[in-house]
Structure formats: C-alpha cells, structure tokens
Amino acid sequence: MAKQLGFFLDVNRCLGCGACIKACANHNRLPPSLTWRKLRQVEDVNYDRGQISRFFLSTACNHCANPECLRVCPNGAYAKRRDGIVLHFPDKCGSCKSCVASCPFGAPQINPQTGKAGKCQLCHERLDKGNVPYCVQACVTGALQLREIQGNPTDRVLRLTAPLPTLRLTRPSTFYYPPRGTKIL
C-alpha cells in the first residue's frame, strides 16, 4: 500500500504570521496577486459558555487521496505520486479551468501571468532530497507539519472532512489539532 503524506496544523500554535505563505510564494516565484497557501482567521463563539476563541488556519492544496483536479483534467496535467503528492504539469495545462471549478478547496488557481493553472506541489523536489517543504520550514512555532498518514489520525485530530459529504469523497490529507477545549464529534 502506498503512503499518503499530509499537512497537520496545530491551531493552538499558529500565530497567523504568514511566514508559510511568504516562503511558498518566494520559492515558487508567484506574482503578488497569487498565493498557493492561504491564511484565514476563524472566530468560534460558544454562547453557552460565553466564550470566543480566535485561531488561524493555514491552508494549501490538501493532496487529496481522491483528487478531483486529477479526475476532471481533460489534458492529463495532474498526476499522483506514490507518496500521495498531487502534481500539476503546467506544460500540459490547456487553461480550461476544470480543475479550478472542481476543487472544493480552491487549491488550483489560474496564474494571471501565464493563464495556466498552478497549485502547491508540496515542494516535492525538497522532499526527494530529505528536506521539508518551505512552508513547514518557515513555521517558527512548528504549528505546520508534514507527516505520513497512517490509518486514521488520533481522536485529538480533526480531519477537515468532518461535516461535508463532498469532502469525504476527495479525502483531503490535511488535519487540524483543534483549539483547546473543543470537542470533536
């Protein structure tokens, strides 16, 4: 059985500094209007306890176990490696935007300079040399990690797919350690 790599984010440790985004953009020489990693502030309100918790989610391509981008691309511009990394080949991209429309996470994006799709490649060339992706390396608190997914993660980890049936189909390989005090259903 092939392994599957995935991102793990501990939202209790993420400062929202954006170092992961900058490292990705610099390495991939992205134009200023394009980022393959996004940072979002989430506010969770618990009216019963009168508590508000704020945390950050750093997201990128989830390198899904069943990627829709790969399934719908008419030009074969996507491939999945044995380690679970979903690769995109811009030279095969016909700019049809099928991948952009099909991804429930909005990971593939059109580069305004080339007119072709692009997305996180999980710094596969670094992984092949035994190094971590630039976004993981840039995370000063260690909140963002890359791990091999073995079976189901522990109860402490919230898989991104929990409430949405369409996401259960793609089986994203991104997991979050939820804010302290949060119950996982």
Side-chain angles (χ1 to χ4, degrees), residues 47-107:
Y47 293 104
D48 295 335
R49 288 192 251 160
Q51 292 178 324
I52 298 174
S53 63
R54 290 181 183 90
F55 56 92
F56 295 95
L57 291 179
S58 174
T59 60
C61 175
N62 293 294
H63 298 276
C64 297
N66 300 315
E68 271 298 288
C69 56
L70 183 142
R71 189 184 72 77
V72 303
C73 180
N75 298 323
Y78 287 88
K80 186 168 174 73
R81 292 178 16 154
R82 291 189 54 77
D83 57 8
I85 298 173
V86 179
L87 296 177
H88 178 261
F89 302 100
D91 56 323
K92 292 184 177 182
C93 180
S95 302
C96 71
K97 301 180 185 170
S98 293
C99 59
V100 174
S102 71
C103 177
F105 305 101

Side-chain angles (χ1 to χ4, degrees), residues 118-129:
K119 65 168 212 64
C120 165
Q121 303 275 57
L122 206 58
C123 295
H124 63 89
E125 70 286 350
R126 286 181 55 82
L127 290 173
D128 292 345
K129 294 177 182 174

